[in-house]
Amino acid sequence: MEINETENGEKRSLNFIEQIVENDLKEGITGGRIQTRFPPEPNGYLHIGHAKAICMDFGIAERYNGICNLRFDDTNPAKEDVEYVDSIKEDIQWLGFKWANIYYASDYFQQLYDLAIQFIKEGKAYVDEQSSEEIAKQKGTPTTPGVESPYRNRPIEENLDLFIRMNKGEFPDGSMVLRAKIDMANSNMHFRDPIMYRIITSHPHHKTGTTWKVYPMYDFAHGQSDYFEGVTHSLCTLEFVVHRPLYDYYLDQFAGADYRPKQREFNRLNLTYTVMSKRKLLQLVKEGLVSGWDDPRMPTICGLRRRGYTPESIKAFIDKIGYTKYEALNDISLLESAAREDLKPRATRVCTILDPIKLIIDNYPEGKKEILTTDNNPDNPEAGVREIPFGREIYIERGDFREEADKNFYRLSPGGREVRLKSAYIIQATGCEKDANGNITTVHATYDPNTKSGTEGGNKKVKSTINWIDVDNSKEAELRLYDRLFVCENPSAEEGDFRDLLNPNSLTVVPQARVETFVANAKPGDKFQFLKTGYFNTDKDSTPEHPIFNLTVSLKESKK
């Protein structure tokens, strides 16, 4: 494997796509020019699998001083929408990439149509009136040859007339298709007279309206669009390996010898405990099984963004798993690990109480407030410190107190056990109050004024430190705790309905947590480490009156 040096002098190994590009540059195949494209179909929101392709397409262009265009493969108006176009642009920009130009496959509809006419005139294409089921049945199997269509040997003039009338809207959807006339016995099923055009009149196109009544298939539009644009390296995922000979065949019919785009393939990003199928993700959204495309449990880029993942963490994860010629199922814990590594030095540490119970320090002066200080982030000295008010009444976690406790419980319990309040004092519990049902409502304690953190007495050792928030300087908040979307590792490989595998505990809402007052005013997207809980992200629906925070990832990898 070749080694390359980055701009900052670090050594990194080249992936096999980079090696191909470097070899092409050395051999002068591209004339010293590198041009890629990212060609999503605007029929859904991008997911993390697309992020891998984005990093490859735009990354290659950046690394070799080339350009990457964004091209929307808008050849099926029945499934496409401007909403998806806008979301794709937003996601690419959020990841930190810039396209040189924006193109649409529809920009080339006239050129593609003219090329189809040329194919017909040269006897390389014909109009077939069979149903899609009949065509599929006649294609045969990889080991048995297909059966020729009864319309395969139509006269050229008749094919030309029918195709022109197809585009005038004279025939209903599904009644006719234009097929390439190649080889019904070819071992590559894609060569068995593939469909080039189909009729779609039921849905206007988001850009061209009702101008066109016939629309090109992906295999016919893809390579030609690459050629029209000047793409040097058409980078696809592995399922297109078997399509590559057809990609080259179409180009052979009209392209010159001086320039030819090169299609090369790499493995897709498959992630455990989720699905990557746009169709299945759309089902989850339409059936209300998630709150939308940007539900933080979704593998969509907008869902990951709302959950609190950063562009840096996603790109670090993709860089870690790499690019190969073999499909693999990547463990989601690697993505979570990348998020922890990225958030650890940047997220402000704050105390948050998920299940609050009031604690009154009986020997602390009534009405007194003092200002303590704490580090915003011990891993980042530049983050500075902040002031935190401390008074007689505070909130602690209900689980940090037991009225009766064994010797292995080191937190608050009556009987002389000392516990430190983080960045504050050492206290001892003296008792508790209960409601009519026997539930503890208030804990009472005393403090040692000579044990303030940061003073000489603050060095006194105790076995436990607990979090707290001053009652007068806290705010009620909603926390949304997320887990894996599915209960099994690879739901796409399981038999039956994938929706039956959804994790019923993928979302737990904590409605009455207490957060520090300044956190309640955080802007959507602000990131925090809630001590002893995890990394959180301020939700887009959060307001100062009703703060909402999404769990991005736990502090440590779960034992699961």
mmCIF file with all atom_site columns, all heavy atoms in Angstrom, residues 339-360:
data_model
loop_
_atom_site.group_PDB
_atom_site.id
_atom_site.type_symbol
_atom_site.label_atom_id
_atom_site.label_alt_id
_atom_site.label_comp_id
_atom_site.label_asym_id
_atom_site.label_entity_id
_atom_site.label_seq_id
_atom_site.pdbx_PDB_ins_code
_atom_site.Cartn_x
_atom_site.Cartn_y
_atom_site.Cartn_z
_atom_site.occupancy
_atom_site.B_iso_or_equiv
_atom_site.pdbx_formal_charge
_atom_site.auth_seq_id
_atom_site.auth_comp_id
_atom_site.auth_asym_id
_atom_site.auth_atom_id
_atom_site.pdbx_PDB_model_num
ATOM 1   N N   . ALA A 1 339 ? -17.846 9.883  18.087 1.00 0.00 ? 339 ALA A N   1
ATOM 2   C CA  . ALA A 1 339 ? -18.548 11.031 18.671 1.00 0.00 ? 339 ALA A CA  1
ATOM 3   C C   . ALA A 1 339 ? -17.961 11.385 20.031 1.00 0.00 ? 339 ALA A C   1
ATOM 4   O O   . ALA A 1 339 ? -17.753 12.570 20.342 1.00 0.00 ? 339 ALA A O   1
ATOM 5   C CB  . ALA A 1 339 ? -20.037 10.722 18.805 1.00 0.00 ? 339 ALA A CB  1
ATOM 6   N N   . ARG A 1 340 ? -17.682 10.374 20.861 1.00 0.00 ? 340 ARG A N   1
ATOM 7   C CA  . ARG A 1 340 ? -17.091 10.649 22.184 1.00 0.00 ? 340 ARG A CA  1
ATOM 8   C C   . ARG A 1 340 ? -15.738 11.349 22.042 1.00 0.00 ? 340 ARG A C   1
ATOM 9   O O   . ARG A 1 340 ? -15.454 12.320 22.759 1.00 0.00 ? 340 ARG A O   1
ATOM 10  C CB  . ARG A 1 340 ? -16.920 9.346  22.964 1.00 0.00 ? 340 ARG A CB  1
ATOM 11  C CG  . ARG A 1 340 ? -18.209 8.694  23.401 1.00 0.00 ? 340 ARG A CG  1
ATOM 12  C CD  . ARG A 1 340 ? -17.952 7.514  24.325 1.00 0.00 ? 340 ARG A CD  1
ATOM 13  N NE  . ARG A 1 340 ? -19.159 6.745  24.514 1.00 0.00 ? 340 ARG A NE  1
ATOM 14  C CZ  . ARG A 1 340 ? -19.484 5.666  23.795 1.00 0.00 ? 340 ARG A CZ  1
ATOM 15  N NH1 . ARG A 1 340 ? -18.644 5.219  22.866 1.00 0.00 ? 340 ARG A NH1 1
ATOM 16  N NH2 . ARG A 1 340 ? -20.613 5.030  24.015 1.00 0.00 ? 340 ARG A NH2 1
ATOM 17  N N   . GLU A 1 341 ? -14.911 10.839 21.144 1.00 0.00 ? 341 GLU A N   1
ATOM 18  C CA  . GLU A 1 341 ? -13.583 11.416 20.963 1.00 0.00 ? 341 GLU A CA  1
ATOM 19  C C   . GLU A 1 341 ? -13.671 12.867 20.510 1.00 0.00 ? 341 GLU A C   1
ATOM 20  O O   . GLU A 1 341 ? -12.862 13.710 20.911 1.00 0.00 ? 341 GLU A O   1
ATOM 21  C CB  . GLU A 1 341 ? -12.795 10.598 19.939 1.00 0.00 ? 341 GLU A CB  1
ATOM 22  C CG  . GLU A 1 341 ? -12.404 9.209  20.428 1.00 0.00 ? 341 GLU A CG  1
ATOM 23  C CD  . GLU A 1 341 ? -11.722 8.389  19.349 1.00 0.00 ? 341 GLU A CD  1
ATOM 24  O OE1 . GLU A 1 341 ? -11.407 8.968  18.281 1.00 0.00 ? 341 GLU A OE1 1
ATOM 25  O OE2 . GLU A 1 341 ? -11.506 7.185  19.564 1.00 0.00 ? 341 GLU A OE2 1
ATOM 26  N N   . ASP A 1 342 ? -14.652 13.169 19.681 1.00 0.00 ? 342 ASP A N   1
ATOM 27  C CA  . ASP A 1 342 ? -14.794 14.525 19.172 1.00 0.00 ? 342 ASP A CA  1
ATOM 28  C C   . ASP A 1 342 ? -15.404 15.462 20.211 1.00 0.00 ? 342 ASP A C   1
ATOM 29  O O   . ASP A 1 342 ? -15.001 16.622 20.330 1.00 0.00 ? 342 ASP A O   1
ATOM 30  C CB  . ASP A 1 342 ? -15.661 14.510 17.913 1.00 0.00 ? 342 ASP A CB  1
ATOM 31  C CG  . ASP A 1 342 ? -15.833 15.903 17.322 1.00 0.00 ? 342 ASP A CG  1
ATOM 32  O OD1 . ASP A 1 342 ? -14.833 16.474 16.855 1.00 0.00 ? 342 ASP A OD1 1
ATOM 33  O OD2 . ASP A 1 342 ? -16.966 16.416 17.344 1.00 0.00 ? 342 ASP A OD2 1
ATOM 34  N N   . LEU A 1 343 ? -16.376 14.974 20.972 1.00 0.00 ? 343 LEU A N   1
ATOM 35  C CA  . LEU A 1 343 ? -17.096 15.832 21.911 1.00 0.00 ? 343 LEU A CA  1
ATOM 36  C C   . LEU A 1 343 ? -16.344 16.049 23.223 1.00 0.00 ? 343 LEU A C   1
ATOM 37  O O   . LEU A 1 343 ? -16.549 17.066 23.892 1.00 0.00 ? 343 LEU A O   1
ATOM 38  C CB  . LEU A 1 343 ? -18.475 15.243 22.206 1.00 0.00 ? 343 LEU A CB  1
ATOM 39  C CG  . LEU A 1 343 ? -19.455 15.246 21.032 1.00 0.00 ? 343 LEU A CG  1
ATOM 40  C CD1 . LEU A 1 343 ? -20.698 14.433 21.372 1.00 0.00 ? 343 LEU A CD1 1
ATOM 41  C CD2 . LEU A 1 343 ? -19.844 16.668 20.655 1.00 0.00 ? 343 LEU A CD2 1
ATOM 42  N N   . LYS A 1 344 ? -15.503 15.109 23.582 1.00 0.00 ? 344 LYS A N   1
ATOM 43  C CA  . LYS A 1 344 ? -14.820 15.204 24.879 1.00 0.00 ? 344 LYS A CA  1
ATOM 44  C C   . LYS A 1 344 ? -14.091 16.531 25.079 1.00 0.00 ? 344 LYS A C   1
ATOM 45  O O   . LYS A 1 344 ? -14.244 17.173 26.123 1.00 0.00 ? 344 LYS A O   1
ATOM 46  C CB  . LYS A 1 344 ? -13.863 14.030 25.061 1.00 0.00 ? 344 LYS A CB  1
ATOM 47  C CG  . LYS A 1 344 ? -13.224 13.984 26.449 1.00 0.00 ? 344 LYS A CG  1
ATOM 48  C CD  . LYS A 1 344 ? -12.321 12.769 26.594 1.00 0.00 ? 344 LYS A CD  1
ATOM 49  C CE  . LYS A 1 344 ? -11.708 12.730 27.992 1.00 0.00 ? 344 LYS A CE  1
ATOM 50  N NZ  . LYS A 1 344 ? -10.774 11.591 28.154 1.00 0.00 ? 344 LYS A NZ  1
ATOM 51  N N   . PRO A 1 345 ? -13.304 17.009 24.114 1.00 0.00 ? 345 PRO A N   1
ATOM 52  C CA  . PRO A 1 345 ? -12.601 18.276 24.348 1.00 0.00 ? 345 PRO A CA  1
ATOM 53  C C   . PRO A 1 345 ? -13.434 19.526 24.051 1.00 0.00 ? 345 PRO A C   1
ATOM 54  O O   . PRO A 1 345 ? -12.987 20.631 24.346 1.00 0.00 ? 345 PRO A O   1
ATOM 55  C CB  . PRO A 1 345 ? -11.411 18.193 23.375 1.00 0.00 ? 345 PRO A CB  1
ATOM 56  C CG  . PRO A 1 345 ? -11.918 17.350 22.250 1.00 0.00 ? 345 PRO A CG  1
ATOM 57  C CD  . PRO A 1 345 ? -12.853 16.359 22.870 1.00 0.00 ? 345 PRO A CD  1
ATOM 58  N N   . ARG A 1 346 ? -14.620 19.375 23.488 1.00 0.00 ? 346 ARG A N   1
ATOM 59  C CA  . ARG A 1 346 ? -15.378 20.569 23.083 1.00 0.00 ? 346 ARG A CA  1
ATOM 60  C C   . ARG A 1 346 ? -16.653 20.794 23.882 1.00 0.00 ? 346 ARG A C   1
ATOM 61  O O   . ARG A 1 346 ? -17.176 21.913 23.910 1.00 0.00 ? 346 ARG A O   1
ATOM 62  C CB  . ARG A 1 346 ? -15.703 20.514 21.597 1.00 0.00 ? 346 ARG A CB  1
ATOM 63  C CG  . ARG A 1 346 ? -16.746 19.512 21.201 1.00 0.00 ? 346 ARG A CG  1
ATOM 64  C CD  . ARG A 1 346 ? -17.310 19.824 19.819 1.00 0.00 ? 346 ARG A CD  1
ATOM 65  N NE  . ARG A 1 346 ? -16.416 19.462 18.727 1.00 0.00 ? 346 ARG A NE  1
ATOM 66  C CZ  . ARG A 1 346 ? -16.586 19.851 17.478 1.00 0.00 ? 346 ARG A CZ  1
ATOM 67  N NH1 . ARG A 1 346 ? -17.594 20.631 17.160 1.00 0.00 ? 346 ARG A NH1 1
ATOM 68  N NH2 . ARG A 1 346 ? -15.756 19.454 16.526 1.00 0.00 ? 346 ARG A NH2 1
ATOM 69  N N   . ALA A 1 347 ? -17.198 19.765 24.542 1.00 0.00 ? 347 ALA A N   1
ATOM 70  C CA  . ALA A 1 347 ? -18.487 19.905 25.223 1.00 0.00 ? 347 ALA A CA  1
ATOM 71  C C   . ALA A 1 347 ? -18.301 20.450 26.641 1.00 0.00 ? 347 ALA A C   1
ATOM 72  O O   . ALA A 1 347 ? -17.460 19.975 27.400 1.00 0.00 ? 347 ALA A O   1
ATOM 73  C CB  . ALA A 1 347 ? -19.192 18.551 25.272 1.00 0.00 ? 347 ALA A CB  1
ATOM 74  N N   . THR A 1 348 ? -19.102 21.450 26.996 1.00 0.00 ? 348 THR A N   1
ATOM 75  C CA  . THR A 1 348 ? -19.073 22.019 28.343 1.00 0.00 ? 348 THR A CA  1
ATOM 76  C C   . THR A 1 348 ? -19.649 21.023 29.343 1.00 0.00 ? 348 THR A C   1
ATOM 77  O O   . THR A 1 348 ? -20.710 20.451 29.112 1.00 0.00 ? 348 THR A O   1
ATOM 78  C CB  . THR A 1 348 ? -19.884 23.325 28.388 1.00 0.00 ? 348 THR A CB  1
ATOM 79  O OG1 . THR A 1 348 ? -19.325 24.251 27.455 1.00 0.00 ? 348 THR A OG1 1
ATOM 80  C CG2 . THR A 1 348 ? -19.873 23.932 29.783 1.00 0.00 ? 348 THR A CG2 1
ATOM 81  N N   . ARG A 1 349 ? -18.947 20.812 30.460 1.00 0.00 ? 349 ARG A N   1
ATOM 82  C CA  . ARG A 1 349 ? -19.434 19.916 31.514 1.00 0.00 ? 349 ARG A CA  1
ATOM 83  C C   . ARG A 1 349 ? -20.427 20.664 32.399 1.00 0.00 ? 349 ARG A C   1
ATOM 84  O O   . ARG A 1 349 ? -20.131 21.766 32.865 1.00 0.00 ? 349 ARG A O   1
ATOM 85  C CB  . ARG A 1 349 ? -18.284 19.464 32.412 1.00 0.00 ? 349 ARG A CB  1
ATOM 86  C CG  . ARG A 1 349 ? -17.511 18.228 32.066 1.00 0.00 ? 349 ARG A CG  1
ATOM 87  C CD  . ARG A 1 349 ? -17.074 18.015 30.678 1.00 0.00 ? 349 ARG A CD  1
ATOM 88  N NE  . ARG A 1 349 ? -16.000 17.010 30.633 1.00 0.00 ? 349 ARG A NE  1
ATOM 89  C CZ  . ARG A 1 349 ? -15.246 16.810 29.591 1.00 0.00 ? 349 ARG A CZ  1
ATOM 90  N NH1 . ARG A 1 349 ? -15.429 17.532 28.503 1.00 0.00 ? 349 ARG A NH1 1
ATOM 91  N NH2 . ARG A 1 349 ? -14.288 15.898 29.614 1.00 0.00 ? 349 ARG A NH2 1
ATOM 92  N N   . VAL A 1 350 ? -21.585 20.080 32.610 1.00 0.00 ? 350 VAL A N   1
ATOM 93  C CA  . VAL A 1 350 ? -22.585 20.698 33.479 1.00 0.00 ? 350 VAL A CA  1
ATOM 94  C C   . VAL A 1 350 ? -23.260 19.632 34.335 1.00 0.00 ? 350 VAL A C   1
ATOM 95  O O   . VAL A 1 350 ? -23.353 18.467 33.942 1.00 0.00 ? 350 VAL A O   1
ATOM 96  C CB  . VAL A 1 350 ? -23.672 21.451 32.665 1.00 0.00 ? 350 VAL A CB  1
ATOM 97  C CG1 . VAL A 1 350 ? -23.067 22.602 31.898 1.00 0.00 ? 350 VAL A CG1 1
ATOM 98  C CG2 . VAL A 1 350 ? -24.385 20.511 31.724 1.00 0.00 ? 350 VAL A CG2 1
ATOM 99  N N   . CYS A 1 351 ? -23.715 20.050 35.502 1.00 0.00 ? 351 CYS A N   1
ATOM 100 C CA  . CYS A 1 351 ? -24.485 19.160 36.366 1.00 0.00 ? 351 CYS A CA  1
ATOM 101 C C   . CYS A 1 351 ? -25.941 19.161 35.895 1.00 0.00 ? 351 CYS A C   1
ATOM 102 O O   . CYS A 1 351 ? -26.529 20.218 35.659 1.00 0.00 ? 351 CYS A O   1
ATOM 103 C CB  . CYS A 1 351 ? -24.408 19.610 37.817 1.00 0.00 ? 351 CYS A CB  1
ATOM 104 S SG  . CYS A 1 351 ? -22.884 19.151 38.656 1.00 0.00 ? 351 CYS A SG  1
ATOM 105 N N   . THR A 1 352 ? -26.490 17.984 35.785 1.00 0.00 ? 352 THR A N   1
ATOM 106 C CA  . THR A 1 352 ? -27.889 17.817 35.410 1.00 0.00 ? 352 THR A CA  1
ATOM 107 C C   . THR A 1 352 ? -28.475 16.723 36.292 1.00 0.00 ? 352 THR A C   1
ATOM 108 O O   . THR A 1 352 ? -27.858 15.671 36.462 1.00 0.00 ? 352 THR A O   1
ATOM 109 C CB  . THR A 1 352 ? -28.022 17.407 33.940 1.00 0.00 ? 352 THR A CB  1
ATOM 110 O OG1 . THR A 1 352 ? -27.370 18.379 33.126 1.00 0.00 ? 352 THR A OG1 1
ATOM 111 C CG2 . THR A 1 352 ? -29.470 17.314 33.528 1.00 0.00 ? 352 THR A CG2 1
ATOM 112 N N   . ILE A 1 353 ? -29.636 16.973 36.839 1.00 0.00 ? 353 ILE A N   1
ATOM 113 C CA  . ILE A 1 353 ? -30.271 16.005 37.727 1.00 0.00 ? 353 ILE A CA  1
ATOM 114 C C   . ILE A 1 353 ? -31.480 15.423 37.004 1.00 0.00 ? 353 ILE A C   1
ATOM 115 O O   . ILE A 1 353 ? -32.457 16.117 36.738 1.00 0.00 ? 353 ILE A O   1
ATOM 116 C CB  . ILE A 1 353 ? -30.700 16.666 39.059 1.00 0.00 ? 353 ILE A CB  1
ATOM 117 C CG1 . ILE A 1 353 ? -29.515 17.416 39.688 1.00 0.00 ? 353 ILE A CG1 1
ATOM 118 C CG2 . ILE A 1 353 ? -31.254 15.629 40.006 1.00 0.00 ? 353 ILE A CG2 1
ATOM 119 C CD1 . ILE A 1 353 ? -28.324 16.537 40.017 1.00 0.00 ? 353 ILE A CD1 1
ATOM 120 N N   . LEU A 1 354 ? -31.424 14.114 36.691 1.00 0.00 ? 354 LEU A N   1
ATOM 121 C CA  . LEU A 1 354 ? -32.495 13.488 35.922 1.00 0.00 ? 354 LEU A CA  1
ATOM 122 C C   . LEU A 1 354 ? -33.722 13.193 36.774 1.00 0.00 ? 354 LEU A C   1
ATOM 123 O O   . LEU A 1 354 ? -34.860 13.370 36.327 1.00 0.00 ? 354 LEU A O   1
ATOM 124 C CB  . LEU A 1 354 ? -31.987 12.194 35.280 1.00 0.00 ? 354 LEU A CB  1
ATOM 125 C CG  . LEU A 1 354 ? -31.278 12.336 33.922 1.00 0.00 ? 354 LEU A CG  1
ATOM 126 C CD1 . LEU A 1 354 ? -29.936 13.048 34.086 1.00 0.00 ? 354 LEU A CD1 1
ATOM 127 C CD2 . LEU A 1 354 ? -31.088 10.983 33.278 1.00 0.00 ? 354 LEU A CD2 1
ATOM 128 N N   . ASP A 1 355 ? -33.505 12.715 37.991 1.00 0.00 ? 355 ASP A N   1
ATOM 129 C CA  . ASP A 1 355 ? -34.605 12.369 38.893 1.00 0.00 ? 355 ASP A CA  1
ATOM 130 C C   . ASP A 1 355 ? -34.406 13.149 40.190 1.00 0.00 ? 355 ASP A C   1
ATOM 131 O O   . ASP A 1 355 ? -33.868 12.640 41.176 1.00 0.00 ? 355 ASP A O   1
ATOM 132 C CB  . ASP A 1 355 ? -34.604 10.858 39.161 1.00 0.00 ? 355 ASP A CB  1
ATOM 133 C CG  . ASP A 1 355 ? -35.829 10.406 39.956 1.00 0.00 ? 355 ASP A CG  1
ATOM 134 O OD1 . ASP A 1 355 ? -36.750 11.227 40.144 1.00 0.00 ? 355 ASP A OD1 1
ATOM 135 O OD2 . ASP A 1 355 ? -35.844 9.242  40.394 1.00 0.00 ? 355 ASP A OD2 1
ATOM 136 N N   . PRO A 1 356 ? -34.822 14.424 40.201 1.00 0.00 ? 356 PRO A N   1
ATOM 137 C CA  . PRO A 1 356 ? -34.444 15.312 41.308 1.00 0.00 ? 356 PRO A CA  1
ATOM 138 C C   . PRO A 1 356 ? -35.217 15.062 42.605 1.00 0.00 ? 356 PRO A C   1
ATOM 139 O O   . PRO A 1 356 ? -36.403 14.730 42.597 1.00 0.00 ? 356 PRO A O   1
ATOM 140 C CB  . PRO A 1 356 ? -34.756 16.696 40.748 1.00 0.00 ? 356 PRO A CB  1
ATOM 141 C CG  . PRO A 1 356 ? -35.832 16.471 39.736 1.00 0.00 ? 356 PRO A CG  1
ATOM 142 C CD  . PRO A 1 356 ? -35.576 15.124 39.145 1.00 0.00 ? 356 PRO A CD  1
ATOM 143 N N   . ILE A 1 357 ? -34.502 15.241 43.685 1.00 0.00 ? 357 ILE A N   1
ATOM 144 C CA  . ILE A 1 357 ? -35.105 15.267 45.027 1.00 0.00 ? 357 ILE A CA  1
ATOM 145 C C   . ILE A 1 357 ? -34.429 16.400 45.786 1.00 0.00 ? 357 ILE A C   1
ATOM 146 O O   . ILE A 1 357 ? -33.217 16.621 45.636 1.00 0.00 ? 357 ILE A O   1
ATOM 147 C CB  . ILE A 1 357 ? -34.922 13.912 45.753 1.00 0.00 ? 357 ILE A CB  1
ATOM 148 C CG1 . ILE A 1 357 ? -35.668 13.928 47.086 1.00 0.00 ? 357 ILE A CG1 1
ATOM 149 C CG2 . ILE A 1 357 ? -33.455 13.562 45.953 1.00 0.00 ? 357 ILE A CG2 1
ATOM 150 C CD1 . ILE A 1 357 ? -35.701 12.569 47.761 1.00 0.00 ? 357 ILE A CD1 1
ATOM 151 N N   . LYS A 1 358 ? -35.201 17.151 46.546 1.00 0.00 ? 358 LYS A N   1
ATOM 152 C CA  . LYS A 1 358 ? -34.647 18.311 47.236 1.00 0.00 ? 358 LYS A CA  1
ATOM 153 C C   . LYS A 1 358 ? -33.826 17.875 48.443 1.00 0.00 ? 358 LYS A C   1
ATOM 154 O O   . LYS A 1 358 ? -34.203 16.950 49.175 1.00 0.00 ? 358 LYS A O   1
ATOM 155 C CB  . LYS A 1 358 ? -35.759 19.258 47.680 1.00 0.00 ? 358 LYS A CB  1
ATOM 156 C CG  . LYS A 1 358 ? -35.249 20.553 48.340 1.00 0.00 ? 358 LYS A CG  1
ATOM 157 C CD  . LYS A 1 358 ? -36.394 21.452 48.787 1.00 0.00 ? 358 LYS A CD  1
ATOM 158 C CE  . LYS A 1 358 ? -37.111 22.069 47.600 1.00 0.00 ? 358 LYS A CE  1
ATOM 159 N NZ  . LYS A 1 358 ? -38.103 23.094 48.053 1.00 0.00 ? 358 LYS A NZ  1
ATOM 160 N N   . LEU A 1 359 ? -32.695 18.552 48.652 1.00 0.00 ? 359 LEU A N   1
ATOM 161 C CA  . LEU A 1 359 ? -31.871 18.340 49.852 1.00 0.00 ? 359 LEU A CA  1
ATOM 162 C C   . LEU A 1 359 ? -31.693 19.681 50.544 1.00 0.00 ? 359 LEU A C   1
ATOM 163 O O   . LEU A 1 359 ? -31.314 20.673 49.912 1.00 0.00 ? 359 LEU A O   1
ATOM 164 C CB  . LEU A 1 359 ? -30.516 17.739 49.471 1.00 0.00 ? 359 LEU A CB  1
ATOM 165 C CG  . LEU A 1 359 ? -29.563 17.436 50.630 1.00 0.00 ? 359 LEU A CG  1
ATOM 166 C CD1 . LEU A 1 359 ? -28.753 16.166 50.372 1.00 0.00 ? 359 LEU A CD1 1
ATOM 167 C CD2 . LEU A 1 359 ? -28.594 18.603 50.904 1.00 0.00 ? 359 LEU A CD2 1
ATOM 168 N N   . ILE A 1 360 ? -31.994 19.716 51.847 1.00 0.00 ? 360 ILE A N   1
ATOM 169 C CA  . ILE A 1 360 ? -31.840 20.935 52.644 1.00 0.00 ? 360 ILE A CA  1
ATOM 170 C C   . ILE A 1 360 ? -30.656 20.755 53.582 1.00 0.00 ? 360 ILE A C   1
ATOM 171 O O   . ILE A 1 360 ? -30.592 19.773 54.346 1.00 0.00 ? 360 ILE A O   1
ATOM 172 C CB  . ILE A 1 360 ? -33.109 21.236 53.448 1.00 0.00 ? 360 ILE A CB  1
ATOM 173 C CG1 . ILE A 1 360 ? -34.290 21.462 52.497 1.00 0.00 ? 360 ILE A CG1 1
ATOM 174 C CG2 . ILE A 1 360 ? -32.905 22.473 54.337 1.00 0.00 ? 360 ILE A CG2 1
ATOM 175 C CD1 . ILE A 1 360 ? -35.620 21.659 53.208 1.00 0.00 ? 360 ILE A CD1 1
#
